[in-house]
Structure formats: C-alpha cells, structure tokens
Amino acid sequence: MSAPKFKATMTIPKNGMEEWNDIMQNPPKTLPQGINEDNYIVASCAKFSDGVTIFGGVAVGAKSQDFNYPLFMVFDKNMHQVGGWPIDTSDWDSWSARSIQFAVDPNDEDGNYLLDIVEATS
C-alpha cells in the first residue's frame, strides 16, 4: 500500500470510542426527537487540504435490528457526495478504528487519503 497523498484528522468527543461503541451495540430505547432510522445519532467531520470532506459517525439501525452502525459519507471539494462506499464499514462490530485509508477514485487501488480518528482531550 502506497503512502497517502492527503491526510486529515477527525476528532470525536473525549471517551468517544467507548461511548460510540456503546451507542452501536446498545441502542437507546428512545431516540432523540427528529432522529430516525438511517440518520446519524452522533457524528464528526474532517476536511482534507484538497477540499474532500468526511462526515462520519454512528447511524440508527432499522427497528428490526438490535444495533446501530458506523457510517461515513465522503464529499468532493464542491460538496457533492461521492457515490458508493469509499469507506467500507460493513464488517465493523465496534467503533475502534484509529485511521482509515481510502480512495475517492474507484481506479485507485491503494487509496490516497488517510483519515486519522482521535479523541478530544477534554
């Protein structure tokens, strides 16, 4: 895997890894008003130097499921959503990634973007 060309940091709340894992694995019985299935319940964002923006967090699962799921949306510099799943979280069973390398261009096998995920210190 080649070194990524672009790097950005997404900061999640202090203790976010543990709290977001809990939200994924133990969904609240009652959702906040206005939050529905497939909407983010918690999220953060990051912007790369070329303008690509990541919005990622935990989304509400279907009512028939007993879990929520991680979801990342990728937007180009003009804030158009990049189709497909440049960041595939389909096999995540917890929120534990510290960095994710991905490609916006489906022809780029290595991925030239690196998203570091850090917890706030306070």
Side-chain angles (χ1 to χ4, degrees):
M1 191 173 273
S2 65
K5 183 176 179 181
F6 301 101
K7 294 181 182 181
T9 301
M10 184 173 83
T11 303
I12 64 175
K14 184 177 181 179
N15 301 318
M17 294 285 180
E18 182 179 332
E19 291 173 4
W20 289 19
N21 279 335
D22 189 53
I23 292 169
M24 280 179 59
Q25 297 170 359
N26 302 299
K29 301 292 184 224
T30 305
L31 292 172
Q33 185 175 352
I35 304 293
N36 299 309
E37 184 178 315
D38 295 326
N39 289 158
Y40 287 100
I41 193 165
V42 290
S44 187
C45 66
K47 190 168 191 170
F48 292 87
S49 61
D50 68 344
V52 168
T53 301
I54 302 296
F55 192 74
V58 179
V60 177
K63 290 182 184 191
S64 61
Q65 299 171 332
D66 59 352
F67 62 90
N68 294 321
Y69 60 95
L71 176 64
F72 286 84
M73 297 173 109
V74 180
F75 299 88
D76 68 17
K77 65 181 179 181
N78 298 313
M79 291 307 290
H80 296 119
Q81 187 173 354
V82 176
W85 292 91
I87 299 176
D88 180 9
T89 60
S90 61
D91 64 349
W92 287 27
D93 57 5
S94 68
W95 185 276
S96 59
R98 299 290 180 182
S99 64
I100 301 167
Q101 190 164 345
F102 67 97
V104 172
D105 178 352
N107 296 319
D108 180 357
E109 292 182 17
D110 289 333
N112 57 1
Y113 291 86
L114 180 66
L115 176 66
D116 288 322
I117 302 170
V118 300
E119 290 183 338
T121 56
S122 58

